[in-house]
């Protein structure tokens, strides 16, 4: 269960992570927590899958790597099996289900274009389905920030409103 401090921590960790010798201590100081509490809460959020990933986001192309947007037309009856195959690839992130003929979209990120291609080929040979490759042609920066604290506050207010009406 997410509490208010967890929500504050998630908001604090989203962007502006301190580049210092003890970044978690800096975050802890900002939130009035101990460094150990920050690390314990972060691990609990990851273990419970409230957070699915915490880490830096690099422009992999600057290091010779590649991001590739990929899509597949997956038969509905086979969707779970294919999802497991795709998600088992360490190079795959952001796997989304869509209501479109190409109903599975994911990002492949690897240290080289050859590794990206090998990942797509492995998925194709394992699933028997074609992976449509959409390489990046132009890069745009769109920053999306969703506040966990705002969502928590709305949920908390809604729960109390329900208590009031019930009483």
């Amino acid at each position: 269960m997410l509490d208010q401090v967890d929500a504050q921590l998630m908001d604090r960790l989203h962007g502006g992570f301190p580049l210092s010798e003890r970044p978690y201590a800096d975050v802890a100081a900002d939130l009035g927590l101990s460094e150990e509490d920050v690390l314990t809460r972060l691990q609990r959020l990851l273990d419970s899958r409230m957070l699915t990933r915490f880490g830096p986001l690099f422009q992999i192309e600057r290091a010779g790597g590649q991001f590739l947007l990929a899509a597949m037309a997956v038969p509905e009856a086979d969707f779970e099996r294919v999802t497991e195959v795709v998600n088992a690839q360490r190079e795959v992130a952001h796997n989304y289900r869509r209501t479109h003929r190409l109903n599975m979209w994911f990002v492949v990120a690897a240290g080289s274009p050859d590794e990206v291609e090998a990942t797509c080929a492995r998925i194709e040979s394992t699933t028997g389905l074609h992976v449509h490759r959409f390489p990046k042609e132009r890069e745009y920066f769109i920053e999306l920030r969703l506040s966990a604290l705002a969502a928590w506050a709305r949920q908390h207010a809604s729960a109390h409103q329900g208590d009031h009406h019930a009483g």
Side-chain angles (χ1 to χ4, degrees):
M1 183 82 164
L2 189 73
D3 66 20
Q4 184 176 2
V5 176
D6 290 338
Q8 288 173 315
L9 176 61
M10 290 168 72
D11 282 0
R12 178 61 185 86
L13 294 174
H14 187 175
F17 189 73
L19 298 176
S20 66
E21 281 189 40
R22 299 190 60 193
Y24 297 102
D26 294 343
V27 168
D30 290 349
L31 298 176
L33 302 170
S34 70
E35 182 180 22
E36 183 180 336
D37 194 22
V38 165
L39 292 169
T40 299
R41 284 178 178 272
L42 179 58
Q43 190 61 55
R44 182 175 42 78
L45 291 168
L46 290 166
D47 290 345
S48 68
R49 307 284 294 160
M50 293 288 282
L51 286 178
T52 55
R53 180 183 179 277
F54 175 71
L57 184 61
F58 298 103
Q59 290 186 316
I60 199 166
E61 291 90 351
R62 289 185 180 179
Q66 183 182 34
F67 281 120
L68 177 83
L69 180 61
M72 299 172 71
V74 180
E76 198 58 39
D78 208 17
F79 203 87
E80 284 207 26
R81 179 189 72 86
V82 174
T83 298
E84 287 180 22
V85 170
V86 170
N87 289 349
Q89 310 303 312
R90 67 178 177 81
E91 298 86 356
V92 169
H94 305 99
N95 187 355
Y96 299 97
R97 185 180 198 137
R98 296 286 187 226
T99 55
H100 183 271
R101 183 181 70 76
L102 298 175
N103 57 352
M104 181 180 289
W105 289 78
F106 51 94
V107 173
V108 180
S112 73
D114 288 345
E115 289 178 60
V116 168
E117 182 52 36
T119 300
C120 292
R122 195 168 46 248
I123 291 169
E124 288 176 328
S125 70
T126 306
T127 64
L129 300 170
H130 179 65
V131 175
H132 297 267
R133 294 145 173 91
F134 302 99
K136 180 170 41 176
E137 293 180 357
R138 180 183 288 170
E139 185 165 322
Y140 298 92
F141 179 75
I142 300 171
E143 185 173 10
L144 174 64
R145 286 182 180 243
L146 303 172
S147 171
L149 184 58
W152 178 88
R154 277 192 304 274
Q155 187 175 30
H156 190 73
S158 174
H160 282 290
Q161 200 171 42
D163 290 345
H164 178 72
H165 291 298

